[in-house]
């Protein structure tokens, strides 16, 4: 089954921001496009708005004047649903209410032919439920674009329980012909991106609620150490706290209140207070005129140790050894077994977090970094009874490497490590349940939410057992169930140990 022919008319129902964006994508690809909105005059206004955006594309040399004029000639506003007769594809982008969508598609079936592909852009409702009442449910599919649709490349092609394989393939190939990067997925709460992305927000909120770090510090560590484009607090302010919380709540309810997706009480209070983020002027940060941006916690200058003793294999942090040498700090290697560690002159130990809190007075944990050479900030964590001077030695070491240092509370798994481990876990769980293929998951998370690596690429880089054991340790100290490793991740770690001959 191939993509729709460019001569085939495409209809978009619902002319808000998303509907207009989808219409523009189909229009620029070369299709005749018909717009319909239940509100009188709204479709005509949307057509005018799309025309203005085409003008801006010409100004930016992304379209020629002739291409713009041809596209405008292919764009029409339909006054009634009957005006969509003869369309080969109808994409719905109306309000996120199941009853409204079901009623719309039942009405559309009386207008379009049985060979017309019907698609919903829903991000939170079940594709199966929306299409369940149709006379021909096999031609119904989810086409989840990301906002703004003309700019973001990802489209999740969602097959409902009754969707025919041929319909899903045609939708996939059509999205690809429009210049998008489609991924196939099954109809599951949150699909791929909104399901697997929940820990990015949840773990940041959990660290905040546990008084481990303030929002500015969490965001700085996620950006400058984790390699994420934005921190969780600033990103939810951009999305809208009400929107982000609504998606979290929807996924949580759809999974029968699975503790792994539990919403945050702190975010609920923020929404109740009307602090919705950038759009309301206040969220986690203050965006009003004259408001200052809070600074992340950054430790003051500390003296670097004269030497460090490296024991064992530092695993994901192995690059630190070369960086320490380059900084002029003497490295004294010693044989060691098990988890690698750095021993400081004062006798204290510096280790990459393993999911346990640093309870010993002689131990400081440091957080995971996407790339220790490129990272500009490192988080440290120690118990409240840490031996005097040890935290200063650890701080001075990382400052000697050119890193800013943020000291956070004794949080099991810290910030970046527990976030990445939980994302990896949900990705393995989703693949094991048939939601999507691993390569589609990685593509979706890179393109849909700009993650620096897909979860499976991250797992390969960190080691096949890393996420499992980190989460198991976090769960031992925080036995709420949120961080229990999935059966899929357990099986993956067990298989890796069998291959390597490591006793499980």
């Amino acid at each position: 089954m191939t993509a729709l022919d460019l001569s085939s008319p495409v209809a978009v129902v619902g002319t808000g921001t998303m509907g207009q964006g989808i219409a523009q994508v189909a229009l620029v690809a070369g299709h005749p496009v018909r717009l319909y909105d239940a509100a009188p005059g709204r479709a005509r206004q949307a057509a005018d708005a799309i025309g203005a955006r085409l003008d801006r594309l010409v100004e930016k040399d992304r379209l020629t004047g002739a291409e713009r004029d041809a596209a405008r000639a292919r764009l029409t506003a339909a006054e009634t649903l009957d005006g969509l007769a003869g369309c080969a594809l109808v994409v719905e982008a109306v309000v996120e209410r199941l009853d409204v969508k079901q009623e719309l598609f039942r009405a559309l079936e009386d207008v379009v032919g049985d060979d017309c592909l019907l698609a919903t852009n829903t991000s939170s409702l079940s594709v199966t439920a929306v299409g369940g009442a149709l006379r021909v449910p096999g031609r119904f599919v989810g086409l989840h674009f990301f906002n703004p649709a003309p700019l973001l490349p990802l489209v999740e092609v969602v097959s409902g329980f009754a969707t025919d394989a041929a319909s899903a393939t045609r939708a996939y190939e059509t999205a690809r012909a429009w210049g998008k990067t489609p991924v196939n997925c099954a109809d599951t709460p949150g699909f791929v991106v909104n399901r697997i992305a929940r820990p990015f927000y949840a773990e940041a909120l959990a660290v905040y609620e546990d008084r481990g770090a303030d929002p500015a510090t969490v965001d700085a560590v996620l950006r400058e150490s984790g390699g994420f484009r934005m921190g969780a607090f600033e990103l939810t302010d951009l999305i809208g706290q009400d929107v982000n919380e609504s998606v979290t709540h929807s996924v949580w309810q759809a999974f029968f209140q699975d503790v792994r997706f539990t919403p945050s009480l702190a975010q609920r209070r923020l929404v109740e207070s009307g602090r919705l983020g950038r759009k309301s002027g206040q969220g986690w940060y203050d965006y009003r005129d004259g408001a200052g941006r809070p600074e992340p916690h950054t430790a003051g200058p500390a003296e670097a140790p004269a030497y460090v003793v490296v024991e064992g294999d530092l695993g994901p942090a192995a690059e630190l050894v070369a960086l320490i040498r380059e900084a002029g700090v003497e490295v004294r290697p010693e044989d060691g077994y098990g988890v690698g560690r750095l021993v400081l002159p004062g006798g204290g130990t510096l280790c990459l977090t393993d999911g346990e809190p640093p309870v010993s007075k002689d131990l400081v944990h440091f957080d995971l970094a996407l790339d220790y050479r490129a990272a500009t900030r490192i988080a440290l964590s120690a118990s409240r009874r840490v031996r005097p001077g040890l935290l200063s030695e650890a701080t001075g070491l990382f400052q000697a490497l050119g890193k800013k240092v943020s000291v956070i509370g004794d949080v099991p798994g810290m910030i970046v490590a527990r976030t990445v481990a939980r994302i990896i876990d949900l990705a393995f769980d989703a693949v094991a349940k048939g939601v999507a293929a691993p390569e589609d998951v990685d593509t979706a998370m890179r393109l849909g939410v700009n993650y620096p690596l897909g979860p499976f690429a991250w797992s390969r880089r960190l080691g096949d057992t890393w996420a499992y054991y980190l989460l198991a340790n976090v769960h031992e100290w925080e036995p709420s169930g949120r961080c229990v490793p999935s059966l899929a991740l357990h099986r993956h770690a067990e298989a890796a140990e069998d291959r390597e001959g490591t006793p499980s």
Side-chain angles (χ1 to χ4, degrees), residues 451-491:
Y451 284 1
L453 287 175
F456 290 94
W458 235 322
S459 179
R460 289 189 294 271
R461 174 184 287 196
L462 296 170
D464 290 324
T465 64
W466 177 85
Y468 173 79
Y469 283 110
L470 186 132
L471 291 178
N473 287 338
V474 172
H475 173 64
E476 183 177 344
W477 289 88
E478 292 185 8
S480 66
R482 191 180 79 252
C483 292
V484 174
S486 66
L487 179 59
L489 190 63
H490 172 78
R491 286 171 172 164

Side-chain angles (χ1 to χ4, degrees), residues 331-391:
V331 174
R332 300 178 180 177
E334 285 192 7
D335 292 335
Y337 300 96
V339 176
R341 61 180 188 161
L342 302 173
V343 182
L344 301 172
T349 299
L350 187 57
C351 291
L352 174 62
T353 179
D354 61 356
E356 296 187 6
V359 294
S360 168
K361 66 181 180 179
D362 295 317
L363 176 63
V364 174
H365 277 165
F366 61 91
D367 206 351
L368 179 69
L370 173 70
D371 180 338
Y372 282 98
R373 184 173 292 276
T376 57
R377 182 180 298 271
I378 295 293
L380 300 181
S381 176
S383 77
R384 292 172 177 82
R385 58 178 187 151
V386 65
R387 181 161 50 79
L390 174 54
L391 196 52

Side-chain angles (χ1 to χ4, degrees), residues 95-104 125-126 128-131:
V95 63
E96 288 285 86
R97 278 181 47 188
L98 180 61
D99 58 335
V100 172
K101 293 178 187 290
Q102 288 177 327
E103 182 179 352
L104 168 65
L125 299 176
S126 162
T128 301
V130 175

Side-chain angles (χ1 to χ4, degrees), residues 40-107:
R42 189 73 59 81
R44 183 67 265 165
Q45 292 172 5
D48 292 341
I50 293 170
R53 284 199 288 273
L54 295 177
D55 289 339
R56 289 195 289 274
L57 291 177
V58 172
E59 292 169 4
K60 296 177 181 179
D61 292 326
R62 295 179 184 174
L63 279 182
T64 66
E67 288 170 335
R68 173 200 56 198
D69 294 342
R72 278 182 167 169
R74 295 193 301 272
L75 180 62
T76 58
E79 297 297 326
T80 66
L81 273 184
D82 289 341
L84 308 186
C87 284
L89 167 64
V90 180
V91 183
E92 164 272 316
V94 303
V95 63
E96 288 285 86
R97 278 181 47 188
L98 180 61
D99 58 335
V100 172
K101 293 178 187 290
Q102 288 177 327
E103 182 179 352
L104 168 65
F105 282 110
R106 280 194 293 264

Side-chain angles (χ1 to χ4, degrees), residues 310-319 321 334-341:
V310 179
E311 295 184 356
D313 182 1
L314 297 181
E319 189 175 22
V321 178
E334 285 192 7
D335 292 335
Y337 300 96
V339 176
R341 61 180 188 161

Side-chain angles (χ1 to χ4, degrees), residues 161-464:
F161 189 78
T163 302
D164 291 337
S167 297
T169 299
R170 170 152 285 186
Y172 181 97
E173 294 299 336
T174 297
R176 189 162 65 172
W178 290 357
K180 296 302 179 183
T181 303
V183 295
N184 284 311
C185 64
D187 184 19
T188 185
F191 309 140
V192 175
V193 172
N194 280 329
R195 171 179 177 147
I196 295 173
R198 295 344 295 162
F200 181 73
Y201 315 108
E203 296 312 308
L205 288 161
V207 170
Y208 168 77
E209 290 175 332
D210 290 340
R211 302 294 183 91
D214 60 273
T217 300
V218 172
D219 280 354
V221 172
L222 286 169
R223 288 194 314 270
E224 299 171 38
S225 183
F228 291 95
R229 187 75 60 87
M230 299 179 74
F233 293 98
E234 58 190 341
L235 180 55
T236 54
D237 269 357
L238 178 64
I239 295 168
Q241 297 299 331
D242 52 339
V243 174
N244 182 259
E245 194 217 20
S246 176
V247 173
T248 298
H249 196 271
S250 173
V251 172
W252 176 61
Q253 290 285 18
F255 277 111
F256 307 105
Q257 301 185 359
D258 186 329
V259 69
R260 295 176 301 166
F261 302 101
T262 301
S264 162
L265 182 58
Q267 188 177 41
R268 176 91 291 263
R269 293 292 179 260
L270 199 69
V271 172
E272 290 173 340
S273 72
R275 298 188 176 192
L276 307 182
R278 289 180 179 269
K279 63 185 177 184
S280 70
Q282 284 181 286
W284 293 111
Y285 301 104
D286 193 336
Y287 302 93
R288 294 172 297 180
D289 290 343
R293 180 71 176 248
E295 293 294 325
H297 174 272
T298 302
E303 186 176 349
Y307 68 89
V308 295
V309 177
V310 179
E311 295 184 356
D313 182 1
L314 297 181
E319 189 175 22
L320 285 176
V321 178
L323 296 179
I324 293 169
R325 285 197 178 100
E326 292 168 15
V329 177
E330 181 186 353
V331 174
R332 300 178 180 177
E334 285 192 7
D335 292 335
Y337 300 96
V339 176
R341 61 180 188 161
L342 302 173
V343 182
L344 301 172
T349 299
L350 187 57
C351 291
L352 174 62
T353 179
D354 61 356
E356 296 187 6
V359 294
S360 168
K361 66 181 180 179
D362 295 317
L363 176 63
V364 174
H365 277 165
F366 61 91
D367 206 351
L368 179 69
L370 173 70
D371 180 338
Y372 282 98
R373 184 173 292 276
T376 57
R377 182 180 298 271
I378 295 293
L380 300 181
S381 176
S383 77
R384 292 172 177 82
R385 58 178 187 151
V386 65
R387 181 161 50 79
L390 174 54
L391 196 52
S392 179
E393 275 191 302
T395 298
L397 175 63
F398 279 105
Q399 288 176 343
L401 308 186
K403 318 299 184 188
K404 296 177 181 177
V405 174
S406 291
V407 179
I408 68 170
D410 55 346
V411 176
M414 301 189 70
I415 297 172
V416 179
R418 67 194 277 175
T419 298
V420 170
R422 285 212 59 218
I423 290 169
I424 290 171
D425 181 53
L426 288 191
F428 273 93
D429 183 57
V431 169
K433 289 179 167 58
V435 174
E439 57 272 19
D440 278 349
V441 169
D442 275 4
T443 297
M445 303 314 291
R446 284 189 299 100
L447 299 183
V449 279
N450 286 314
Y451 284 1
L453 287 175
F456 290 94
W458 235 322
S459 179
R460 289 189 294 271
R461 174 184 287 196
L462 296 170
D464 290 324

